[in-house]
Amino acid sequence: MSMKPTSSKKESPSMRIAFEMNMDESYVQSMLDLLEDAIRTIQNKDNGGLSYEELYRNAYTLVLHKHGPRLYKLMKEVIEEHLRGEVRDIVVKSLYNDFLATLNTQWQDHKVSMQVIKDVFMYMDRVYVKNNKVDEVQDLGLKLFKELVVNHPQIKTHLTSTLLDMVSKERRGEIVDRGAVKATCEMLMTLGIKTRTVYEENFEQPFLEVSGEFFKMESQQFLAENSASVYVKKVEARIKEEAERAKHYLDLSSEVPITSVVERELISVHMKTIVEMENSGVVYMLKNDKQEDLKCMYGLLQRVEGGLQCMCEAMRGYIRECGKTLVDSEGDINNTVAYVQSLLDLKERFDEFLKNSFANDHTFKQAICSEFEHFLNLNPKSPEYLSLFIDDKLKKGTKGLTEQDIERVLDQSIVLFKFLVDKDVFERWVLFIPMVFRALTLSQNLQNNTNEILCFN
């Protein structure tokens, strides 16, 4: 409520007080008594008959005549008395009966009354408060409400436990009064006077601690009951739920710390278990072409430090296993074309994973190339087999393969050729190049491919 000056044709006694030039103690005390009664009337919400212009002039006169200290002290004592007595008693009596609603009602009433009191003592705020570096009227009201009401031992303990209990109930699927929680969190933030200290002490710190324990138990339950893909989905849902809670009825600043707690307890602590989960982890997903599940896991693990590295290492191991199996079985295949084609198919398969599941992540791309380079060079005949493969494919250019098909084969082959690192690869290619060149001359349109292969040496 803002101060609304009123006017009267007849000057009241108190108005005459405000303009007395000779201010003895009786005059000063009369004005102090008048303002004290006005503060109590405002706090009792019975201030409809007050003349705010009259009150302002009396406060102004007292400050002007150097009675600012007495006026400030009086105002503080009246506010303290009201909060310590009536307000605190009402809140304490409501501890087990509509507690948050009662606390929020008293808080709203206090805010309204302090706004009116601030208007009455506006001149004192501008002059006495500023010159003496004491709390402004508004800040004083906030500090007193915090000290005398919110920090009262019974209220403080019950406030924290009530808020935590309501969050816990909602996590279990129960309906809670979000409006009451939101209003309380806003009150705590306001009482911090441009800081988060009151909110952190009375709610956020214990909230994060209790949440950590809750998520620790929840993660154990999730792991015991679900596959890796389902676990990932449940963690994603939990992160979203906690973020929404912060946005809707906690203070928005709590979103980052609570998300960090979820990520620590549900992802970081268990990322190796998730990745290596038997019959559902990364290797299972790769074997069964679960591209969407891999994409979800990638998205989850990128939230935490070391998450993608853990996933990438699992992929590395699987690629190396697949490649070694191909190399070891090469002698049984007795078909160099089939051997190289198997390598190309494997590379194409992981290129699809890279594109569709791993967001073309450079680390994953490097890992794929590194593993292919490793197992391709396990077989000293790889350059020779690759040349025979290209020769075979290009010779079929006149037997049903289109120019685009041939170019695709060449592109894939060049990728494999880049992985060859044997130090005497040059000597091998002395034999390899003539066969390739002879095959390439079957099509004049493929000269660019010939040049690309030849340029490697």
Side-chain angles (χ1 to χ4, degrees):
M1 181 186 299
S2 300
M3 184 177 72
K4 297 180 179 180
T6 59
S7 59
S8 173
K9 292 182 179 179
K10 186 175 181 182
E11 191 179 62
S12 67
S14 56
M15 286 284 284
R16 289 195 298 273
I17 290 175
F19 290 100
E20 280 287 346
M21 297 303 296
N22 300 318
M23 292 192 55
D24 58 23
E25 177 58 26
S26 62
Y27 284 132
V28 172
Q29 191 59 50
S30 297
M31 285 188 285
L32 290 172
D33 291 343
L34 176 72
L35 291 166
E36 178 181 349
D37 290 342
I39 294 172
R40 297 186 191 282
T41 300
I42 292 167
Q43 290 172 329
N44 292 327
K45 298 184 286 187
D46 188 27
N47 49 324
L50 293 177
S51 168
Y52 293 105
E53 181 180 0
E54 177 182 336
L55 296 172
Y56 177 85
R57 288 182 181 276
N58 279 276
Y60 170 87
T61 301
L62 286 169
V63 174
L64 190 64
H65 287 79
K66 310 302 181 184
H67 295 293
R70 292 179 66 182
L71 181 60
Y72 189 87
K73 181 174 180 292
L74 171 70
M75 177 196 68
K76 181 180 178 182
E77 289 175 348
V78 175
I79 296 171
E80 285 177 333
E81 181 183 340
H82 177 71
L83 293 175
R84 185 182 292 111
E86 184 176 347
V87 173
R88 192 163 71 190
D89 287 347
I90 291 173
V91 176
V92 169
K93 289 176 183 178
S94 74
L95 288 180
Y96 302 99
N97 182 25
D98 213 15
F99 169 65
L100 287 188
T102 302
L103 176 62
N104 285 321
T105 297
Q106 294 302 314
W107 163 242
Q108 293 299 327
D109 288 347
H110 177 70
K111 285 200 302 180
V112 172
S113 65
M114 286 307 304
Q115 182 58 52
V116 178
I117 293 169
K118 176 185 175 182
D119 289 344
V120 170
F121 294 92
M122 189 182 302
Y123 184 74
M124 182 183 73
D125 243 356
R126 290 204 307 263
V127 179
Y128 171 75
V129 167
K130 182 179 180 180
N131 292 339
N132 291 272
K133 298 181 180 179
V134 293
D135 290 324
E136 294 181 358
V137 174
Q138 192 72 32
D139 289 351
L140 178 66
L142 296 176
K143 288 184 177 181
L144 292 178
F145 192 90
K146 178 190 69 174
E147 293 168 5
L148 300 176
V149 181
V150 172
N151 282 354
H152 182 267
Q154 284 180 280
I155 297 173
K156 182 182 178 71
T157 302
H158 195 69
L159 174 58
T160 301
S161 63
T162 299
L163 291 173
L164 295 180
D165 184 58
M166 293 180 78
V167 173
S168 179
K169 284 180 178 179
E170 190 176 62
R171 282 176 176 157
R172 295 195 301 266
E174 299 180 37
I175 303 298
V176 299
D177 186 352
R178 285 187 162 196
V181 179
K182 181 177 179 63
T184 305
C185 289
E186 289 176 347
M187 175 194 73
L188 294 175
M189 285 296 293
T190 303
L191 292 175
I193 309 177
K194 299 179 181 179
T195 72
R196 301 179 75 253
T197 54
V198 178
Y199 177 76
E200 289 175 349
E201 179 183 342
N202 288 274
F203 174 67
E204 188 177 78
Q205 290 178 0
F207 167 65
L208 296 176
E209 292 172 7
V210 170
S211 296
E213 291 301 315
F214 173 81
F215 297 137
K216 185 179 296 183
M217 292 187 291
E218 185 174 62
S219 68
Q220 296 295 339
Q221 181 183 351
F222 282 177
L223 288 171
E225 297 176 355
N226 301 286
S227 65
S229 60
V230 175
Y231 182 89
V232 166
K233 288 181 173 62
K234 288 197 171 185
V235 175
E236 287 176 338
R238 173 57 74 193
I239 292 173
K240 181 178 180 181
E241 180 183 323
E242 295 301 323
E244 289 298 312
R245 179 175 291 110
K247 290 175 182 176
H248 284 118
Y249 67 93
L250 305 183
D251 187 74
L252 185 58
S253 61
S254 290
E255 181 179 353
V256 171
I258 189 58
T259 300
S260 296
V261 173
V262 179
E263 291 172 345
R264 182 186 72 234
E265 297 298 336
L266 271 68
I267 306 176
S268 294
V269 174
H270 301 292
M271 61 185 177
K272 189 172 179 62
T273 301
I274 303 166
V275 166
E276 298 178 356
M277 195 174 289
E278 190 174 358
N279 297 323
S280 68
V282 168
V283 171
Y284 171 86
M285 293 177 183
L286 291 169
K287 284 181 178 179
N288 294 275
D289 198 34
K290 301 289 186 180
Q291 294 188 18
E292 190 60 33
D293 289 344
L294 285 166
K295 181 179 180 180
C296 291
M297 184 179 288
Y298 175 90
L300 189 73
L301 292 178
Q302 72 177 346
R303 286 177 164 272
V304 300
E305 184 177 356
L308 292 183
Q309 181 181 353
C310 182
M311 187 178 190
C312 189
E313 287 303 311
M315 181 198 69
R316 269 182 176 273
Y318 178 65
I319 297 176
R320 183 165 295 199
E321 178 187 335
C322 292
K324 189 174 184 301
T325 300
L326 281 176
V327 172
D328 290 345
S329 64
E330 176 265 326
D332 300 328
I333 295 176
N334 292 321
N335 186 334
T336 58
V337 174
Y339 167 68
V340 175
Q341 186 62 56
S342 296
L343 292 174
L344 292 174
D345 291 344
L346 185 64
K347 179 63 169 60
E348 185 174 12
R349 184 176 163 213
F350 276 91
D351 285 344
E352 286 295 306
F353 285 130
L354 180 65
K355 175 184 176 183
N356 299 326
S357 302
F358 305 138
N360 287 315
D361 189 299
H362 182 66
T363 301
F364 282 73
K365 183 177 182 179
Q366 281 189 321
I368 293 171
C369 292
S370 175
E371 292 308 317
F372 268 83
E373 179 179 306
H374 169 77
F375 66 72
L376 187 62
N377 288 281
L378 291 177
N379 187 343
K381 293 184 178 181
S382 289
E384 178 185 350
Y385 290 168
L386 188 55
S387 69
L388 292 172
F389 173 82
I390 298 174
D391 188 52
D392 176 80
K393 292 296 181 182
L394 293 179
K395 283 178 180 178
K396 294 178 180 178
T398 57
K399 299 179 181 180
L401 287 180
T402 66
E403 186 173 307
Q404 288 74 23
D405 292 334
I406 297 172
E407 288 185 342
R408 180 171 177 272
V409 170
L410 285 174
D411 288 342
Q412 291 178 318
S413 302
I414 290 170
V415 170
L416 289 185
F417 178 62
K418 289 178 180 178
F419 296 144
L420 296 173
V421 294
D422 197 302
K423 57 184 177 183
D424 58 355
V425 68
F426 179 81
E427 287 86 354
R428 292 184 184 136
W429 272 90
V430 169
L431 299 175
F432 172 61
I433 291 172
M435 290 185 284
V436 175
F437 184 79
R438 184 176 65 254
L440 289 172
T441 56
L442 294 174
S443 173
Q444 293 300 317
N445 293 329
L446 298 178
Q447 292 305 310
N448 290 337
N449 302 80
T450 307
N451 295 332
E452 187 169 0
I453 292 177
L454 292 174
C455 76
F456 286 114
N457 281 298

